[in-house]
Amino acid sequence: MPTNPVGMADHLVAMSSAGAHSASRPVPDPAALRSLLSHCAPEDARDAFLRFTWSNRTPQPHPVAQSPGPWQWCRRHPIVTVVIAFLAWAFMTGIAGGQPLAGLALLAVLGVVIYWLQRRANHEKRPTAPPVNPWPSGAERVPAYGALAGESTLLRPEAELLGVAVLLVETVQASPVVRSDLIYTGTLLEQINASLYTISHQCHRIWWIRSSLEKPESTSDVGRALQAAIDQRVRRVEQNWRELLGNVTQLAELAVDFDQYAKVLRDHARHHRLMADGYGMPIPSAPDPQWQYLQEVQANLSAQVGFLNDTAVRVSAVDLG
């Protein structure tokens, strides 16, 4: 197998340069992309892969949140608390006023409300199910059939590619653009995380297929038929692997754009500080021309993330059987 010291970096840069890009979005600067991917060395990708799949390596407890106390619950549900208080007052008033049937009816209503509140409390204390992680322990060291583009001697390429994707998502999450008030990235981050899990499942699917293939032991007709079926499966896997590399390349290009937009935001802040420190010079009253650019940044990021998600779903939907 090749011993490329940069792992997936050269393959992803090459795919970015050779990929199709629209006129509105040219090919990212290869130097910027290579600089970003230089932080995704095989060792770092392995560590990121282990972090991402840690839940299948060490049993993680699932703490169940305690049901809120009565006073905490009342503060969180003031309207329902008022309704319960009114029903209790009406019930006591009905009994005291000599109308037991009305009091019993109100008591039944109060019981239904209490039952509903108990069901609601039980629902609130259920822990949220963690995302499904299919990777078994030691997956990065399991022998595989054949080789794939970008394979190194340190770990399986599927695990390395997933580790690179994790590092890229962590880079995006740490970008100043995420913390900026000028560009909304809340939904974008959720979509990027969803794409990461889709990439993980597709890497695992290819990993599982390559791990389960067994060479024929004979040269009989049965052995040749088995080899032909294996070759057909391998060709489909290799094609899907190239598409998956392209998907992660899109994620790398997105991370480069986040870095570029972070520089734009810093220049935007410098510009406003310069205008504010103008020694009494009048600030132009015309609309800020930078605002339109920032809106275009928001639209561009949304389009890129949407395309990333669509590609991840399409790649994972390919039949490799």
Side-chain angles (χ1 to χ4, degrees):
M1 287 188 296
T3 57
N4 185 1
V6 296
M8 296 289 174
D10 285 344
H11 299 279
L12 298 181
V13 172
M15 293 199 70
S16 175
S17 301
H21 293 79
S22 63
S24 60
R25 187 176 186 281
V27 178
D29 182 10
L33 189 60
R34 188 177 298 276
S35 176
L36 173 68
L37 291 171
S38 66
H39 302 287
C40 301
E43 296 80 4
D44 299 326
R46 178 188 58 188
D47 294 340
F49 172 79
L50 295 179
R51 289 199 309 273
F52 188 79
T53 61
W54 187 252
S55 61
N56 278 3
R57 299 173 178 275
T58 302
Q60 300 293 316
H62 297 288
V64 177
Q66 297 296 325
S67 299
W71 296 113
Q72 290 82 359
W73 195 95
C74 290
R75 285 197 299 268
R76 291 170 55 185
H77 306 85
I79 297 178
V80 178
T81 301
V82 171
V83 172
I84 293 176
F86 172 76
L87 290 174
W89 172 82
F91 170 70
M92 298 302 297
T93 303
I95 294 296
Q99 300 179 7
L101 293 180
L104 291 175
L106 290 173
L107 180 61
V109 174
L110 181 60
V112 171
V113 173
I114 293 176
Y115 174 77
W116 176 79
L117 292 177
Q118 183 62 42
R119 290 284 301 273
R120 181 72 176 270
N122 291 337
H123 178 74
E124 288 178 352
K125 69 179 181 180
R126 290 173 187 163
T128 302
V132 177
N133 173 20
W135 292 90
S137 178
E140 72 280 3
R141 299 185 302 272
V142 175
Y145 182 95
L148 294 174
E151 192 157 12
S152 65
T153 58
L154 185 64
L155 71 164
R156 288 280 294 271
E158 303 93 336
E160 182 177 352
L161 185 61
L162 175 56
V164 170
V166 172
L167 291 173
L168 293 173
V169 171
E170 291 176 349
T171 300
V172 170
Q173 292 172 339
S175 171
V177 177
V178 174
R179 300 184 296 274
S180 172
D181 296 332
L182 301 177
I183 301 177
Y184 176 73
T185 57
T187 305
L188 297 182
L189 288 179
E190 295 177 1
Q191 294 173 337
I192 292 173
N193 289 333
S195 292
L196 176 60
Y197 278 98
T198 303
I199 292 172
S200 171
H201 279 266
Q202 188 58 15
C203 285
H204 175 266
R205 187 163 70 138
I206 294 177
W207 171 90
W208 183 86
I209 290 175
R210 296 181 65 229
S211 300
S212 60
L213 291 177
E214 300 180 52
K215 293 182 179 180
E217 300 182 17
S218 68
T219 58
S220 63
D221 292 344
V222 176
R224 287 193 294 270
L226 173 59
Q227 186 62 54
I230 290 176
D231 294 340
Q232 184 181 23
R233 179 72 63 87
V234 167
R235 285 193 295 269
R236 292 180 182 177
V237 166
E238 289 175 346
Q239 174 61 30
N240 192 250
W241 176 250
R242 288 192 292 270
E243 295 177 351
L244 187 58
L245 284 174
N247 191 199
V248 178
T249 300
Q250 295 171 17
L251 182 58
E253 294 173 355
L254 179 65
V256 170
D257 285 344
F258 265 82
D259 181 66
Q260 178 62 34
Y261 293 145
K263 299 176 182 178
V264 172
L265 290 176
R266 287 194 290 268
D267 287 343
H268 180 77
R270 294 186 182 102
H271 180 264
H272 275 263
R273 286 196 298 270
L274 177 65
M275 299 303 295
D277 298 336
Y279 290 97
M281 297 176 61
I283 298 177
S285 58
D288 186 355
Q290 301 177 67
W291 180 252
Q292 180 179 359
Y293 178 80
L294 293 175
Q295 296 301 306
E296 294 175 356
V297 168
Q298 175 72 55
N300 187 21
L301 289 178
S302 299
Q304 283 183 256
V305 174
F307 184 65
L308 173 68
N309 287 342
D310 293 342
T311 304
V313 172
R314 178 183 58 81
V315 172
S316 66
V318 174
D319 182 13
L320 299 180

